[in-house]
């Protein structure tokens, strides 16, 4: 879903849903390209095009390059997905790779405008990855029966283990217009215990979901995302406005975010740290942490290197872990 070096990425054809993979996994089903290219599904959700690749370095890197070279060919909500990525990167250039056909790997071009065609303020962009995480949570619950939760700033968890990560990257300014956002999502679907990137990860299959159909999961995610995204855009990117006939994005995210209410340690650039109680999200989606002196700090997703649970020294001493 995220950045590889552009010169390692294959050519992206905006309108192509090409043939079945030549090097497919022996025991994992390929994406159903016919179902993904269904005109009724795409038009119902405002998706102008959906392209499927066999293998690439990174779908995010591919789209970042594509919107630079041929921006008009990649409108709002254009989608690129892949069966396999060889050079995917997460936040802070963390490298990862999953077996072929084991994951949902998808990137979306976003050019947020309201109902009148007016671009959203770029300061609202910080909510887009949280919106995507919320959409994926809803898709996992509805399609797979998994009770997913969000971990700030960009993870989706099931039973405390990471099942998906989301990363938004700002595209080029181009001719002075508002830059697009490339939103990448990677969901572990059929990874086994031995294939997990870290022991704290999990997959749809390992959690005993009622389906591991990647096509169904991808379509459900795109459906949920497009509905929430269009409502968010029509509200001018206001996270406190009612969304899709219900509570605001701000309230929906906070309601399912396990980070809130925890004692946390935020590791920031320059070996700086903030420790304290994670209380809420502010209007920009930053995490507010109250330290021992009752000072409130705003931790932004762009700055934080790690965010982990933390216990005050006195609690560690009482538990024998000092």
């Amino acid at each position: 879903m995220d950045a590889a070096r552009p010169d390692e990425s294959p050519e992206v054809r905006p309108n192509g849903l090409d043939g079945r993979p030549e090097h497919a996994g022996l025991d994992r089903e390929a994406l159903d390209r016919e179902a993904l290219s269904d005109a009724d599904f795409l038009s119902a959700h405002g998706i102008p095009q959906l392209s499927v690749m066999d293998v690439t370095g990174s779908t995010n890197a591919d789209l970042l390059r594509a919107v630079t070279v041929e921006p008009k060919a990649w409108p709002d909500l254009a989608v690129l997905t892949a069966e396999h990525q060889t050079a995917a990167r997460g936040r802070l250039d963390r490298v990862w790779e999953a077996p072929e056909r084991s994951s949902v790997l998808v990137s979306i071009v976003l050019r947020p405008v309201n109902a009148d065609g007016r671009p959203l303020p770029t300061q609202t962009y910080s909510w887009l990855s949280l919106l995507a995480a919320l959409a994926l949570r809803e898709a996992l619950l509805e399609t797979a029966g998994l009770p997913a939760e969000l971990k700030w700033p960009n993870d989706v968890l099931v039973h405390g283990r990471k099942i998906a990560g989301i990363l938004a990257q700002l595209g080029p300014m181009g001719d002075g217009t508002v830059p697009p956002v490339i939103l990448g999502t990677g969901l572990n679907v059929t990874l086994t215990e031995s294939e997990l990137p870290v022991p704290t990860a999990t997959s749809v299959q390992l959690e005993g979901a009622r389906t591991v159909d990647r096509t169904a999961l991808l379509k459900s995610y795109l459906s949920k995302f497009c509905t929430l995204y269009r409502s968010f855009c029509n509200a001018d990117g206001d996270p406190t406005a009612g969304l899709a006939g219900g509570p605001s994005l701000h309230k929906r995210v906070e309601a399912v975010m396990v980070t809130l209410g925890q004692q946390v340690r935020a590791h920031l650039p320059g070996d700086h740290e903030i420790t304290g109680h994670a209380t809420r999200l502010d209007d920009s989606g930053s995490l507010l942490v109250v330290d021992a002196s009752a000072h409130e700090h705003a931790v932004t997703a762009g700055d934080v290197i790690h965010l982990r649970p933390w216990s005050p020294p006195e609690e560690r001493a009482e538990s024998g872990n000092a």
Side-chain angles (χ1 to χ4, degrees):
M1 68 177 210
D2 190 27
R5 291 198 300 270
D7 59 349
E8 293 182 340
S9 301
E11 180 183 0
V12 183
R13 288 175 291 175
N15 297 314
L17 277 141
D18 31 25
R20 295 176 62 85
E22 294 178 0
H23 306 291
L26 296 178
D27 56 352
R28 288 181 164 117
E29 291 291 328
L31 290 168
D32 184 338
R33 302 184 183 214
E34 184 176 348
L36 290 173
S37 63
D38 179 71
D40 291 339
F41 169 75
L42 297 179
S43 63
H45 297 95
I47 299 172
Q49 61 201 44
L50 191 157
S51 302
V52 182
M53 302 185 73
D54 297 342
V55 61
T56 187
S58 155
T59 54
N60 258 35
D62 291 344
L63 285 186
L64 283 169
R65 184 181 63 178
V67 298
T68 301
V69 174
E70 200 174 5
K72 292 183 179 179
W74 295 91
D76 187 43
L77 290 176
V79 177
L80 178 66
T81 187
E83 296 281 18
H84 183 50
Q85 292 185 138
T86 61
R89 294 179 184 271
R91 290 185 63 251
L92 305 173
D93 282 342
R94 293 168 185 148
V95 180
W96 59 272
E97 183 176 356
E100 185 176 2
R101 293 182 175 179
S102 68
S103 306
V104 168
L105 308 166
V106 60
S107 295
I108 309 172
V109 177
L110 304 179
R111 302 180 184 274
V113 298
N114 67 11
D116 298 324
R118 184 173 62 251
L120 267 58
T122 53
Q123 59 263 33
T124 68
Y125 286 11
S126 56
W127 282 97
L128 293 172
S129 57
L130 292 168
L131 188 151
L134 184 65
L136 183 58
R137 175 195 176 272
E138 293 181 359
L140 286 170
L141 183 61
E142 180 179 289
T143 306
L146 295 182
E149 297 173 304
L150 310 189
K151 176 179 178 290
W152 191 89
N154 68 329
D155 291 344
V156 180
L157 312 180
V158 173
H159 299 131
R161 303 173 74 187
K162 181 175 177 177
I163 201 168
I166 292 165
L167 185 68
Q169 293 181 278
L170 200 62
M173 293 293 291
D175 58 358
T177 58
V178 177
V181 174
I182 307 302
L183 184 75
T185 300
L187 170 66
N188 301 332
V189 180
T190 59
L191 275 74
T192 64
E193 286 280 1
S194 63
E195 292 171 332
L196 294 174
V198 291
T200 53
T202 189
S203 69
V204 174
Q205 179 172 280
L206 288 171
E207 293 299 326
R210 60 173 172 247
T211 184
V212 292
D213 184 333
R214 290 184 303 129
T215 302
L217 290 165
L218 176 55
K219 290 183 68 174
S220 179
Y221 168 58
L222 292 174
S223 173
K224 300 292 185 185
F225 177 82
C226 291
T227 299
L228 293 173
Y229 171 70
R230 184 50 55 208
S231 184
F232 179 68
C233 288
N234 289 343
D236 293 313
D238 181 359
T240 67
L243 194 67
S248 68
L249 178 60
H250 194 286
K251 288 182 178 179
R252 293 186 193 206
V253 169
E254 283 196 334
V256 294
M257 181 161 284
V258 295
T259 311
L260 301 182
Q262 289 188 347
Q263 295 286 336
V264 299
R265 182 196 302 272
H267 182 197
L268 305 174
D271 287 330
H272 296 299
E273 288 186 344
I274 296 172
T275 58
H277 186 69
T279 58
R280 61 190 179 93
L281 301 180
D282 68 11
D283 287 347
S284 66
S286 298
L287 181 68
L288 298 181
V289 179
V290 178
D291 65 21
S293 62
H295 181 71
E296 188 174 66
H297 303 264
V299 181
T300 67
D303 285 341
V304 70
I305 297 174
H306 297 292
L307 184 84
R308 295 193 171 107
W310 173 78
S311 298
E314 60 271 19
E315 292 184 14
R316 294 200 298 274
E318 291 174 4
S319 66
N321 294 323

